[in-house]
Amino acid sequence: MASIDRRTREKVELQEKILNAARDLFLQHGFDAVTMKKIADAIDYTPGALYVHFKDKRDLMLALCRNDFAELDKQTHEMLRDEPDPINRIWKLGHGYLAFAAAHPNHYKLMFMTKHPEELTPDEEDLARMGNPDQDGYAMLIATVQEGIDKGCFRPELSDAELVSQTLWAALHGVAALQITHSNDPWCKMKPYEQRSVTMAASILRGLVRDPSVVDKLLSMTGEIPPGGSPG
């Protein structure tokens, strides 16, 4: 039994090593320019060792996307336990998303800042998760926003849950992307990441919700700094 556990652990560790090397190479050179041999060379393995775990480069890239999105979904789901209010859940989702981007910049760049190859179409396993809020982070955001719309939390003209979700996503993506690409840019003198994150999240929510004071209450409750002021 111990031998089986050890072999399983070694297999998982090798797969993670392969995925990490592939992620770095895809970001540096692009999907088309990277070969299985290049990935194998990066970790001092033979290409044959990679084919034991992944049948080809497309299979490896799909596994990489699944793993990274699963990690993001896990991090955000854990923040939503026992939270009945949809606006508070949206706030926590944003926190999880931005924290993930800061902690895993290479993951984030490949997931959201790199155009994926056209041949990387979802298979049956991916399609089975699509639209399920328990397994699909985007579906979870839409479901949460729809709940907010149904409860009258958003401005009355905002009745399209996907449009509201994509607006929120675009706003937070901008903060995350600038952190990754320009956090040390001497020309910009960027403010602290947390301050920029809270300012953007609070500003965009104030513009979307029916009663902007709920955002001030949320900031007071969490002890975070609202734009231009101090908590509560």
Side-chain angles (χ1 to χ4, degrees), residues 94-145:
H95 261 296
Y97 183 85
L98 291 169
F100 177 87
H104 306 287
N106 277 358
H107 294 57
Y108 190 90
K109 282 194 287 185
L110 190 62
M111 293 161 72
F112 299 113
M113 299 172 67
T114 304
K115 184 177 179 180
H116 291 178
E118 292 182 2
E119 63 266 31
L120 207 69
T121 53
D123 60 17
E124 290 184 8
E125 180 182 344
D126 301 313
L127 291 173
R129 292 195 300 270
M130 190 179 296
N132 182 347
D134 293 327
Q135 297 181 308
D136 176 351
Y138 179 57
M140 177 171 57
L141 174 59
I142 292 173
T144 305
V145 169

Side-chain angles (χ1 to χ4, degrees), residues 65-80 93 96-97 100 111-112 129 132-141:
C65 290
R66 289 188 193 115
N67 281 22
D68 289 356
F69 276 101
E71 182 62 30
L72 171 59
D73 291 344
K74 177 184 176 183
Q75 183 165 321
T76 51
H77 272 81
E78 287 178 350
M79 302 183 75
L80 303 183
L93 275 171
Y97 183 85
F100 177 87
M111 293 161 72
F112 299 113
R129 292 195 300 270
N132 182 347
D134 293 327
Q135 297 181 308
D136 176 351
Y138 179 57
M140 177 171 57
L141 174 59

Side-chain angles (χ1 to χ4, degrees), residues 35-83:
T35 63
M36 294 291 272
K37 185 179 185 305
K38 281 186 179 180
I39 298 169
D41 289 344
I43 58 173
D44 295 324
Y45 274 80
T46 64
L50 271 63
Y51 287 110
V52 171
H53 301 275
F54 306 100
K55 63 182 181 181
D56 53 29
K57 186 172 67 169
R58 177 185 178 278
D59 185 47
L60 197 162
M61 182 65 160
L62 280 172
L64 190 56
C65 290
R66 289 188 193 115
N67 281 22
D68 289 356
F69 276 101
E71 182 62 30
L72 171 59
D73 291 344
K74 177 184 176 183
Q75 183 165 321
T76 51
H77 272 81
E78 287 178 350
M79 302 183 75
L80 303 183
R81 292 176 182 171
D82 304 320
E83 178 50 72

Side-chain angles (χ1 to χ4, degrees), residues 194-214:
E194 178 65 20
Q195 186 177 351
R196 285 181 282 120
S197 300
V198 171
T199 300
M200 176 60 83
S203 299
I204 198 70
L205 269 180
R206 279 199 182 96
L208 295 172
V209 296
R210 185 187 296 265
D211 178 9
S213 70
V214 302

